[in-house]
Amino acid sequence: MSHFLDRLKFFDKVQDTFAGDHGIVTNEDRNWEDAYRNRWRHDKVVRSTHGVNCTGGCSWKIFVKSGLVSFEMQQTDYPRTREDLPNHEPRGCQRGASFSWYLYSPHRIKHPMIRGRLLDLYRAERKTGKDPVEAWAAIQADDAKRDKYVKVRGLGGFVRTDWKEVNEIIAAANIYTIKKWGPDRIYGFSPIPAMSMISYAAGARYLSLIGAACGSFYDWYCDLPAASPQTWGEQTDVPEAADWYNSTYLIITGANLPMTRTPDAHFATEVRYKGTKVVSMAPDYAEYVKFADLWMPVRQGTDAAAFLAMGHVALKEFYINKQDPYFAEYARKYTDLPMQIVLRPFEGGYVSDRNLRASDFENNLGEANNPDWKTIVYDAKTKTYVAPNGTIGFRWGEDGKWNLLEKAAAGQDEIEAELSCIDSRDDVVSVGFPHFQPGEPGLLYRNVPARKLTLANGETVFVASVFDLQVAQYGVDRGIGGDNVASSYDDANVAYTPAWAAKVTGVKAADIERTGREFADNASKTLGKSMIIMGAAINHWYHNDMQYRSIMNLLHMCGCVGKSGGGWAHYVGQEKLRPQAGWAPIAFATDWQRPPRHMNSTSYWYFHTDQWRYETIDADQLLQPAAKGKYKGYKLADYNVVATRLGWLPSAPHFNRNPLEIVAEAEKAGAKDEAGVAQYLIEQLKSGKLDVAFADPDAQENWPRNLFVWRANLIGSSAKGHEYFLKHLLGAQNGVLQEGGDGIGTREVKWHAEAPVGKLDLMVDINFRLNSTGAYSDIISTRCPKP
């Protein structure tokens, strides 16, 4: 029967009943159900994943019908990794389940698109008989022609073209730029490789082969925890999420695991069944809070205060009141706590200055290789200063000592690195420690036990261990007098006590005290299985390094770093690549030439979007009171230039000349090899004939010329200083109202009265949808066509 007739016979459709009249039998048309059934019908199932920045890499079953994706479901065939770990599956989230809609979105780019005005200009030049490079050169040489397409970026006007033509234009632009300005005027930006390694590598390899620069990403959108390279000299060495299940005490802060780590969150929730205590720190009742045994409603941006107070408790109860043997051994072997620091006189007291080094002693303590880079400990066995294995000076120039064996490097004798000289001190000195809490002193003076030492140059100095300095900085009372030490945890006037932290964070002092004690006690009993999971919510702050270092200090004290189930777990996306050793040479073309040009995007955009011209931050205000201030009066832009000249930061472009021309001139001057070219370059820099490009970023020869963006929404998602991008980089309509000249006064950067507008000759966005970056690009291209 039809649905129409069913409606006419609605009151007669019941034919019979059953189950005591609770059920009915009807005679009606049910073809309408086919619409639902057809929704889930499919021809085949294939495996895929979603290349997104959560980089969970989840395996999905893609159900295909008539060549189209019908729906997706999580794969359930992950192998079991260990019997004592939960299954990794099912992996996936609602965001992944809906990802296939991107394929059929009205914003989907299916054909290469180009700004119509640019295409008209290019075709007109080609019709005059010019080859592609000459045609591009003619457009760039005529300001009116260039402005015609540059000034309408972001206003639409795209037309469809074909692959042959768009590739010709891109190639012509790159060849022209390399010849005219240099290959390092070409730049590529693409975020984290882990979300789609092949895609990232394809673009990076092309750029590397033509000598262009590949921009960093992790630091640019502030996912890089700066404290990691500051503390350990590496990017982010953290465990995989399954290791959460090995922990026996978890503190979670700034990482909303059910929301941002959906496929992995179960490891943190399931470990509670083993008795693991979970403490969540969040200013709001976030998703991860509901899984906690204790919720600390910490004020935004004050996590450092809470962790400093926990460190205060751990130091006092596990190092001072009693010395935990596991903690002491770990601190001696795996941290810098025994390292000796030279104290510098300052305002009637002292401040910490630099590491004591082998070069400070007669005959360099027998260390002829890199003595300036070999730091010193005091050996409690021999009562002498020794250079232990494993410091940075042993990494190059000699073998067998780049390790953490507790031995003196000179003779490989066993040592016991002393943590504290409090029982054999020469004196107690007042040391000032930088303090950054508003409304409190900039330097906190606290007493530190120290030894007196005469250096090889005849200078007599006080030295103290990092441990003794750290205990003093945390305000722990050791019975050696002085101001700013805590008589108890309830002393709210002494920085870094639980009571002081309660004022700053809004968290109960008792909760901070108990958590610090439990965290350390658990680490002591389990040999380091206390873990802190943190992420973007505490990393996306100006002072993120302070927040993270307060966490790292606690973990070092408690012997957790490097332990399964312990240490820190920073998650903002995922930067790890399992096959990195084989992938990197392909991605950066080091099989063809080396080194590739890499550039820190933070400095790059700061200069090339001219944000330095609007800078209102006084760099001197960031200096701590005891800073030597060698560059006092410098602006942030000046610091970047100095760092570039010293080799600490890269620069793209490198110099204010085309590198191809520099090499040609060097060869003309007699250079026969790379060493000869390098020597010529050094002479040009010393003479002032050549300089780094950042010293004059607004000069035309130092502009970025061609920008490639792929796998990213640079303009829409991560263009910090968005309006400056639009004005100075792209030349588009923008909301920059006026330039007040705040950047005037730089000492190392040349100021131009009029800032350039629209530096880029060409912007190419390789994307599958028309997003903000595509809207401001000159060319938008999707995947390459099948051959």
Side-chain angles (χ1 to χ4, degrees):
M1 297 177 69
S2 71
H3 185 57
F4 176 71
L5 292 176
D6 284 343
R7 295 181 66 187
L8 293 177
K9 296 183 178 183
F10 178 78
F11 294 106
D12 297 328
K13 68 178 181 179
V14 178
Q15 303 294 308
D16 197 4
T17 63
F18 60 90
D21 293 339
H22 288 287
I24 61 173
V25 179
T26 64
N27 180 22
E28 60 183 320
D29 178 66
R30 301 193 67 84
N31 288 332
W32 60 270
E33 294 178 356
D34 289 344
Y36 180 81
R37 292 191 178 99
N38 289 337
R39 171 66 179 84
W40 307 107
R41 284 177 180 156
H42 54 277
D43 304 327
K44 62 180 179 179
V45 181
V46 298
R47 186 188 296 269
S48 187
T49 187
H50 311 111
V52 294
N53 200 5
C54 79
T55 60
C58 304
S59 183
W60 283 80
K61 291 183 282 189
I62 310 300
F63 294 81
V64 181
K65 180 181 179 181
S66 302
L68 302 176
V69 174
S70 179
F71 62 98
E72 306 177 49
M73 289 184 65
Q74 296 154 300
Q75 275 285 5
T76 55
D77 59 353
Y78 280 83
R80 188 73 181 266
T81 55
R82 273 178 23 188
E83 289 299 319
D84 58 342
L85 283 179
N87 289 332
H88 281 71
E89 63 189 15
R91 296 179 63 77
C93 66
Q94 299 90 329
R95 297 175 291 282
S98 63
F99 199 78
S100 58
W101 287 102
Y102 278 121
L103 297 173
Y104 312 115
S105 165
H107 296 290
R108 173 73 190 273
I109 301 295
K110 298 180 181 179
H111 308 280
M113 309 286 286
I114 186 170
R115 200 162 293 285
R117 292 189 180 190
L118 175 59
L119 185 60
D120 290 342
L121 290 167
Y122 182 77
R123 286 176 175 175
E125 296 296 339
R126 290 285 277 134
K127 284 181 179 179
T128 65
K130 297 184 178 73
D131 67 29
V133 178
E134 291 172 339
W136 186 259
I139 296 171
Q140 300 310 313
D142 189 326
D143 289 342
K145 291 178 181 179
R146 187 177 184 273
D147 288 346
K148 190 173 182 180
Y149 73 90
V150 167
K151 291 186 176 182
V152 295
R153 285 171 175 159
L155 299 180
F158 287 104
V159 296
R160 177 175 168 178
T161 183
D162 57 51
W163 284 103
K164 181 179 180 181
E165 187 167 39
V166 79
N167 285 340
E168 177 183 291
I169 294 172
I170 293 172
N174 284 343
I175 293 170
Y176 166 81
T177 299
I178 290 170
K179 293 172 65 176
K180 174 73 173 178
W181 305 110
D184 51 350
R185 274 68 175 173
I186 304 171
Y187 196 68
F189 178 82
S190 188
I192 207 156
M195 72 181 191
S196 46
M197 289 181 280
I198 295 175
S199 176
Y200 181 94
R205 182 173 180 83
Y206 168 69
L207 293 170
S208 298
L209 284 171
I210 66 173
C214 295
S216 65
F217 42 86
Y218 204 32
D219 60 322
W220 167 239
Y221 39 70
C222 200
D223 284 357
L224 171 69
S228 186
Q230 286 174 354
T231 303
W232 292 307
E234 52 75 61
Q235 183 174 281
T236 327
D237 197 4
V238 297
E240 68 151 319
D243 197 43
W244 303 345
Y245 192 78
N246 296 322
S247 180
T248 51
Y249 200 101
L250 276 177
I251 298 177
I252 307 174
T253 178
N256 195 359
L257 303 183
M259 175 65 72
T260 62
R261 301 295 298 178
T262 308
D264 300 315
H266 69 96
F267 289 114
T269 59
E270 291 172 6
V271 72
R272 298 176 304 150
Y273 296 118
K274 295 180 7 179
T276 295
K277 183 169 183 177
V278 178
V279 176
S280 291
M281 299 173 63
D284 61 336
Y285 193 79
E287 287 89 341
Y288 69 99
V289 171
K290 65 185 179 183
F291 297 108
D293 299 289
L294 173 64
W295 172 31
M296 290 186 180
V298 60
R299 291 191 184 104
Q300 300 97 317
T302 65
D303 299 72
F307 283 106
L308 286 168
M310 293 181 208
H312 180 102
V313 174
L315 280 172
K316 183 173 180 63
E317 298 187 10
F318 293 84
Y319 280 93
I320 305 305
N321 293 352
K322 66 173 183 178
Q323 189 159 84
D324 184 275
Y326 167 69
F327 288 0
E329 181 184 18
Y330 181 97
R332 290 199 314 271
K333 289 184 176 181
Y334 304 120
T335 76
D336 66 350
L337 290 174
M339 297 295 177
Q340 299 294 305
I341 304 297
V342 176
L343 303 180
R344 171 168 57 91
F346 183 80
E347 293 184 350
Y350 293 85
V351 293
S352 59
D353 191 35
R354 62 170 177 84
N355 282 88
L356 187 65
R357 303 181 289 232
S359 57
D360 289 319
F361 294 84
E362 292 290 341
N363 300 318
N364 300 323
L365 287 181
E367 300 295 336
N369 180 56
N370 300 326
D372 283 332
W373 295 91
K374 293 177 178 176
T375 53
I376 303 300
V377 301
Y378 187 84
D379 180 19
K381 291 183 177 180
T382 61
K383 311 298 182 186
T384 59
Y385 293 98
V386 299
N389 282 1
T391 59
I392 191 68
F394 292 105
R395 188 168 184 178
W396 297 280
E398 55 191 304
D399 298 322
K401 299 175 183 178
W402 177 240
N403 56 61
L404 294 180
L405 297 177
E406 203 170 3
K407 294 181 178 181
Q412 292 298 291
D413 297 322
E414 297 284 343
I415 64 171
E416 182 181 326
E418 179 190 78
L419 288 177
S420 176
C421 72
I422 192 167
D423 294 327
S424 57
R425 62 187 184 268
D426 291 333
D427 205 344
V428 173
V429 296
S430 180
V431 177
F433 297 94
H435 183 58
F436 299 100
Q437 177 63 19
E440 298 185 11
L443 281 180
L444 298 178
Y445 279 92
R446 289 168 170 174
N447 281 2
V448 176
R451 285 194 176 95
K452 189 174 289 188
L453 178 66
T454 300
L455 306 181
N457 63 5
E459 181 184 3
T460 299
V461 298
F462 279 110
V463 296
S465 68
V466 174
F467 176 82
D468 281 332
L469 290 167
Q470 182 165 280
V471 173
Q473 183 165 16
Y474 274 73
V476 177
D477 186 5
R478 304 177 73 182
I480 54 176
D483 300 325
N484 298 308
V485 292
S487 57
S488 74
Y489 295 151
D490 297 327
D491 195 337
N493 295 318
V494 176
Y496 316 138
T497 64
W500 172 87
K503 292 193 307 181
V504 177
T505 65
V507 177
K508 294 177 181 178
D511 287 344
I512 297 174
E513 176 186 337
R514 181 173 66 253
T515 301
R517 181 180 299 115
E518 291 176 349
F519 189 88
D521 185 57
N522 178 79
S524 172
K525 292 175 179 175
T526 62
L527 304 184
K529 290 185 179 295
S530 293
M531 179 181 285
I532 300 174
I533 302 173
M534 63 273 216
I538 67 168
N539 193 57
H540 289 178
W541 287 82
Y542 185 80
H543 60 296
N544 63 48
D545 59 327
M546 299 172 66
Q547 306 214 84
Y548 268 52
R549 289 204 307 269
S550 66
I551 292 172
M552 293 171 178
N553 277 357
L554 179 62
L555 293 167
H556 288 147
M557 296 173 200
C558 299
C560 302
V561 178
K563 298 291 183 176
S564 178
W568 73 311
H570 160 87
Y571 294 103
V572 182
Q574 175 58 277
E575 84 292 344
K576 298 300 184 207
L577 303 180
R578 191 176 295 275
Q580 182 165 349
W583 171 87
I586 297 172
F588 302 116
T590 55
D591 58 328
W592 186 264
Q593 64 181 9
R594 63 175 62 218
R597 284 190 168 102
H598 286 175
M599 179 62 204
N600 65 310
S601 288
T602 305
S603 296
Y604 187 89
W605 300 127
Y606 184 65
F607 281 105
H608 293 313
T609 63
D610 274 318
Q611 293 186 50
W612 67 276
R613 296 177 64 95
Y614 303 84
E615 186 61 75
T616 59
I617 293 177
D618 181 1
D620 288 352
Q621 293 179 353
L622 306 179
L623 294 173
Q624 58 108 337
K628 294 179 180 178
K630 180 179 180 180
Y631 295 104
K632 206 162 189 178
Y634 271 40
K635 291 181 174 289
L636 295 181
D638 294 323
Y639 279 100
N640 272 264
V641 172
V642 171
T644 300
R645 287 181 176 144
L646 293 173
W648 300 346
L649 282 178
S651 172
H654 294 321
F655 304 106
N656 56 359
R657 297 276 307 284
N658 187 332
L660 301 183
E661 294 179 359
I662 297 173
V663 173
E665 290 178 1
E667 291 173 341
K668 189 176 180 180
K672 303 297 184 182
D673 52 21
E674 288 187 11
V677 173
Q679 184 58 42
Y680 176 82
L681 182 67
I682 292 170
E683 292 170 358
Q684 293 293 299
L685 288 169
K686 286 184 175 180
S687 68
K689 296 178 180 178
L690 192 67
D691 203 351
V692 296
F694 283 170
D696 192 1
D698 287 346
Q700 192 175 31
E701 63 270 17
N702 295 329
W703 293 358
R705 292 291 173 170
N706 301 345
L707 173 62
F708 291 82
V709 180
W710 73 108
R711 304 163 62 256
N713 189 3
L714 172 65
I715 303 302
S717 296
S718 57
K720 296 190 289 292
H722 180 262
E723 299 299 327
Y724 306 112
F725 272 77
L726 299 188
K727 178 178 180 179
H728 299 291
L729 188 71
L730 297 171
Q733 292 184 6
N734 59 84
V736 180
L737 300 180
Q738 63 179 356
E739 184 176 350
D742 294 306
I744 294 176
T746 50
R747 301 184 183 183
E748 303 291 343
V749 184
K750 184 176 180 179
W751 177 267
H752 292 253
E754 187 173 345
V757 175
K759 296 179 180 180
L760 285 180
D761 295 339
L762 180 70
M763 181 171 174
V764 178
D765 181 33
I766 302 172
N767 214 326
F768 58 84
R769 58 179 174 146
L770 180 57
N771 57 21
S772 303
T773 301
Y776 284 97
S777 297
D778 302 308
I779 294 174
I780 316 168
S781 60
T782 182
R783 63 176 178 83
C784 291
K786 294 181 179 178

